[in-house]
């Protein structure tokens, strides 16, 4: 067995990606023999590749003849399929079956409701719901290009709204219900929504949390900035007694909004078909926001055709999803994995929406997997890490329906890969996947024809010319760390930052364009610089290398000129000191560089969180240092190891390395945007300790 091999597909030749390769070979008279051959061809002949993806995946719409001008550099963000006309929602709702379940909504139990009913919608019911919403949105004046915002939970209504909005050619904007109103305000005020939809309550940690007071605060903030949505609609999404004490008389209920749509019957032709707004491939579909932990979140606009073609490629070709799949992703509506999940409708499979805490009862999601026969289970590396500390799903649950498990959000360590195979399922495809909000899809990820090696993402995704560059802007050798770059244009590059041309003043559009360029192309001229530190591994069996994520580039540690990613330290802690490890006890950690020598060098500070009432002893510090030295090198050993009460996280569960780095290097806490963080209060400690560290360095 090759080193680190954890899984090998049984019949790779029967996979969708192999069928696609055969199709390419016969269409273009080629003899591409391996996945890597196909990837190389797809990135060198990207115009032919994306054209073929359109046909292979049966995109609904008019394709036209143009694909992309392949003489244009990626930094110019060329337009794609300029002759095409399509509608994203139409492609999501091509299945009209009155038997096939499109959506299942599950909610975390509460003491008052220990077995909440599952809500199910067939594709036919979902279509009907969307058509009533389309009618009501039109009746209330929604036009293509207007923004519709949701401040809601992961419920059926939110999916239907996303579909109805985009059916009309309006632009979808979502903030998760767990975001604070201040954070939502600085997102929504940028895009000035015409409609706001919000739930009245959510469940988290077995408690009902009233949401209307947050909605009121948001609306007051928007009004103060002269943003006044034409309609605010409130959804009663979860089974609990309704509390209208914070209700504003200008709001309307979901039921009333739907009734208006049903009565008006707008937006359908005489056969009952929704009048889909088929627009250009490059038409804006939705706006996602960067996490913005130190400033205003960037409003990233994704194009309808790009999102459609890319997700079809990911699901149909790379992941081999089929309509029989039951697809679950643990996500809020404010994370791009929500958009990823909803795009699964285009496959005609069943999506499982879950709202609530994933870990209060670690059995919950695995019981759901057995009850609903979930075949594709998506989550974050953080969830797997937390779960691994106390739970072995395989001992308690059958889990035989599982085919794939996906993990993202942060690097998944080799140790956690092993945990998944040992304690969840020995024979599934574990797809560690990466991309992010900026492309609302994947640069590297799953492939049903390839093996899985511990700690490695299986492959670079087809059509994405991902490489690893040195600081000097040169290709790194296999197995050498570098920066994730993309060299060629791809259709799911954002259309731009808000406002796009036609949606703002010339000055606003020019500023947004400059910001876009700055975000992706300023670091290395002419290539997309993604800001992830990675290794592309040596090719095995002619399949090309996998990808190892080492952490965010701006969190790269650089003591004495030796550059390495923080995950190299996290992996050591994970395997040697987590509760499953030989020495136990470290619950979480964070590594950042502190500048020394007047800025000429840096030293590594490792913050560790221990269980309450436990103290970091000098012996343990020595053990940590010894493990790091043995498993990495003397250069990796942290200069200081400091106990903290808490590690800061963004609302989407990412460690906040860059902000902590700035703070311990002297930045004031005023740079923090607290509304983007789960636990901003813990940063005061880092600020205080930073002062001490700077005195002692
Ligand atoms: C696919 C991803 O990369 C998701 C994320 O980390 O935000």
């Amino acid at each position: 067995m090759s080193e680190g091999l954890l899984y090998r597909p049984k019949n790779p030749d029967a996979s969708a990606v192999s069928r696609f390769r055969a199709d390419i070979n016969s269409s273009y008279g080629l003899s591409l023999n391996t996945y890597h051959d196909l990837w190389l061809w797809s990135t060198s002949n990207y115009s032919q590749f994306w054209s073929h993806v359109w046909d292979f995946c049966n995109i609904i719409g008019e394709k036209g003849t143009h694909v992309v001008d392949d003489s244009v550099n990626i930094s110019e963000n060329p337009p794609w399929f300029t002759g095409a006309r399509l509608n994203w929602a139409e492609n999501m709702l091509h299945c009209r079956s009155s038997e096939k379940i499109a959506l299942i909504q599950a909610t975390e139990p509460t003491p008052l409701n220990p077995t909440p009913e599952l809500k199910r919608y067939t594709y036919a019911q979902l279509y009907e719901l969307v058509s009533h919403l389309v009618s009501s949105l039109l009746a209330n004046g929604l036009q293509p290009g207007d923004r519709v915002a949701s401040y809601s939970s992961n419920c059926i209504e939110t999916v239907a709204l996303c579909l109805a909005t985009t059916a009309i050619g309006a632009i979808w904007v979502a903030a998760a219900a767990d975001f604070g109103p201040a954070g939502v305000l600085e997102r929504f005020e940028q895009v000035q929504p015409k409609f706001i939809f919000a739930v009245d309550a959510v469940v988290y940690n077995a408690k009902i949390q009233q949401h209307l007071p947050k909605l009121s605060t948001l609306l007051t903030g928007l009004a103060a900035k002269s943003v006044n949505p034409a309609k605010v609609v409130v959804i009663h999404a979860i089974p609990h007694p309704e509390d209208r004490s914070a209700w504003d008389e200008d709001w309307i209920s979901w039921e009333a909004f739907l009734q208006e749509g049903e009565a008006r019957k707008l937006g359908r032709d005489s056969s009952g078909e929704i009048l889909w707004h088929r627009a250009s491939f490059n038409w804006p579909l939705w706006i996602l926001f960067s996490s913005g932990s130190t400033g205003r979140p960037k409003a990233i606009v994704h194009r309808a055709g790009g999102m459609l073609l890319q997700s079809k490629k990911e699901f149909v070709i790379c992941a081999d999803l089929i309509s029989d799949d039951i697809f679950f992703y643990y996500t809020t509506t404010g994370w791009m994995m929500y958009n990823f999940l909803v795009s699964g409708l285009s496959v005609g499979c069943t999506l499982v929406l879950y709202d609530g805490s994933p870990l209060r009862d670690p059995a919950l999601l695995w019981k759901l997997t057995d009850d609903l026969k979930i075949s594709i289970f998506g989550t974050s590396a953080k969830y797997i890490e937390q779960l691994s500390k106390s739970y072995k799903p395989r001992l308690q649950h059958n889990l035989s329906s599982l085919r794939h498990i996906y993990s993202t959000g942060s690097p998944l360590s080799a140790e956690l890969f092993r945990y998944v195979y040992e304690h969840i399922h020995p024979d599934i495809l574990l797809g560690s996947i990466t991309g992010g909000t900026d492309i609302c899809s994947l640069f590297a990820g799953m492939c049903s024809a390839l093996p899985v090696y511990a700690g490695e993402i299986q492959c670079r995704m087809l059509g994405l010319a991902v490489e690893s560059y040195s600081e000097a802007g040169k290709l790194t050798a296999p197995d050498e760390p570098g920066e994730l770059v993309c060299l060629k244009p791809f259709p799911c590059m954002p259309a731009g930052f808000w406002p796009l041309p036609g949606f703002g003043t010339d000055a606003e559009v020019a500023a947004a364009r400059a910001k876009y360029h700055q975000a992706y192309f300023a670091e290395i001229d002419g290539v997309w610089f993604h800001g992830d530190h990675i290794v592309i591994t040596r090719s095995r069996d002619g399949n090309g290398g996998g990808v190892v994520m080492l952490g965010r580039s701006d969190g790269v540690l650089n003591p004495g000129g030796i550059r390495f990613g923080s995950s190299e330290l996290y992996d050591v802690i994970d395997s040697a000191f987590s509760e499953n490890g030989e020495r136990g006890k470290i619950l979480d950690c964070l590594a950042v560089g502190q500048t020394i020598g007047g800025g000429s060098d840096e030293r590594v500070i490792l913050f560790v969180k221990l269980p309450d009432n436990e103290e970091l002893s000098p012996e343990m510090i020595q053990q940590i240092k010894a493990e790091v030295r043995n498993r990495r090198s003397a250069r990796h050993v942290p200069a200081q190891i400091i106990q903290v009460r808490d590690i800061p996280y963004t609302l989407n569960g990412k460690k906040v390395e860059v902000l902590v780095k700035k703070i311990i290097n002297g930045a004031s806490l005023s740079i923090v945007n607290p509304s983007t963080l789960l636990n901003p209060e813990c940063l005061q400690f880092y600020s205080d300790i930073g002062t001490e560290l700077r005195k002692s360095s």
Side-chain angles (χ1 to χ4, degrees), residues 244-538:
R244 286 210 170 195
S245 52
W247 188 275
D248 184 302
E249 60 183 26
D250 287 340
W251 302 345
I252 66 164
S253 72
W254 173 257
E255 289 74 21
F257 191 72
L258 270 184
Q259 272 161 19
E260 184 176 359
E262 262 184 275
R264 296 289 295 273
K265 294 193 174 29
L266 298 176
R268 289 179 93 151
D269 69 14
S270 53
S271 68
E273 181 74 13
I274 294 172
L275 293 171
W276 309 101
H277 179 83
R278 285 192 180 179
S280 117
F281 186 95
N282 303 287
W283 184 251
L285 176 71
W286 49 50
I287 301 174
L288 268 50
F289 294 90
S290 64
S291 63
S293 48
T294 56
R296 227 157 92 107
K298 295 192 285 278
I300 305 168
V301 189
H302 289 285
R303 59 188 111 199
M307 287 294 96
L308 176 62
L309 206 57
Q310 169 78 338
S311 65
K312 279 286 224 183
K313 180 209 70 180
E314 288 171 347
F315 292 144
V316 175
I317 301 173
C318 305
D320 233 330
L321 256 56
I322 50 172
S323 59
D324 284 345
D325 275 313
I326 314 282
F327 180 16
F328 163 75
Y329 216 105
Y330 180 75
T331 176
T332 65
T333 61
W335 191 21
M336 59 138 292
M337 297 318 296
Y338 178 77
N339 307 65
F340 181 85
L341 173 67
V342 173
S343 302
L345 288 172
S346 73
V347 180
C349 61
T350 302
L351 307 186
V352 178
L353 315 172
Y354 172 79
D355 211 44
S357 163
L359 270 166
R360 181 184 55 82
D361 170 5
L364 227 146
L365 296 184
W366 304 104
K367 183 170 173 333
L368 200 65
T369 301
D370 277 346
D371 290 351
L372 302 183
K373 307 231 170 318
I374 288 172
S375 54
I376 311 289
F377 182 106
T379 186
S380 61
K382 178 84 192 133
Y383 168 84
I384 297 177
E385 186 209 324
Q386 293 292 326
L387 188 76
S388 73
K389 292 181 176 160
S390 59
Y391 202 65
K392 297 179 174 163
R394 223 181 136 192
L395 291 180
Q396 323 281 339
H397 308 273
N398 177 303
L399 306 183
S400 57
S401 58
L402 281 176
R403 297 202 302 126
H404 297 181
I405 294 180
Y406 301 148
S407 164
T408 190
S410 52
L412 187 71
S413 67
E415 209 63 35
L416 291 176
F417 269 72
R418 292 199 182 89
Y419 163 80
V420 169
Y421 281 99
E422 203 174 323
H423 298 300
I424 302 181
H425 201 300
D427 190 26
I428 42 94
L429 184 157
L430 172 56
S432 174
I433 57 181
T434 190
T437 306
D438 306 279
I439 61 166
C440 193
S441 61
L442 311 178
F443 274 128
M446 73 300 253
C447 175
S448 62
L450 293 177
V452 176
Y453 292 91
E456 269 183 46
I457 296 178
Q458 287 176 289
C459 58
R460 290 171 273 180
M461 302 303 272
L462 295 176
L464 289 142
V466 168
E467 295 290 356
S468 160
Y469 262 22
S470 68
E471 268 184 290
K474 298 270 180 305
L475 282 178
T476 58
D479 291 338
E480 254 181 37
E483 300 301 328
L484 192 162
V485 295
C486 188
L487 306 183
K488 310 270 176 66
F490 50 99
C492 60
M493 291 169 66
F497 289 169
W498 190 259
L500 298 183
F503 291 96
T505 63
D506 288 353
E508 287 165 344
V509 169
R513 193 173 275 149
K515 225 165 149 188
Y516 182 84
H517 197 272
Q518 179 67 28
Y520 307 119
F521 301 106
E523 203 74 30
I524 306 178
D525 198 32
V527 306
W528 174 288
F529 179 90
H530 195 57
D532 278 331
H533 199 53
I534 60 164
V535 165
I536 298 180
T537 59
R538 195 166 296 281

Side-chain angles (χ1 to χ4, degrees), residues 3 26 43 51 61 79 114 133 145 152 158 195 247 268 271 287 328 335 339 348 401 445 513 580 612 624:
E3 203 193 334
S26 74
T43 53
S51 169
L133 288 170
S152 277
T158 309
F195 290 80
W247 188 275
R268 289 179 93 151
S271 68
I287 301 174
F328 163 75
W335 191 21
N339 307 65
S401 58
R513 193 173 275 149
N580 291 331
D612 288 347
I624 296 171

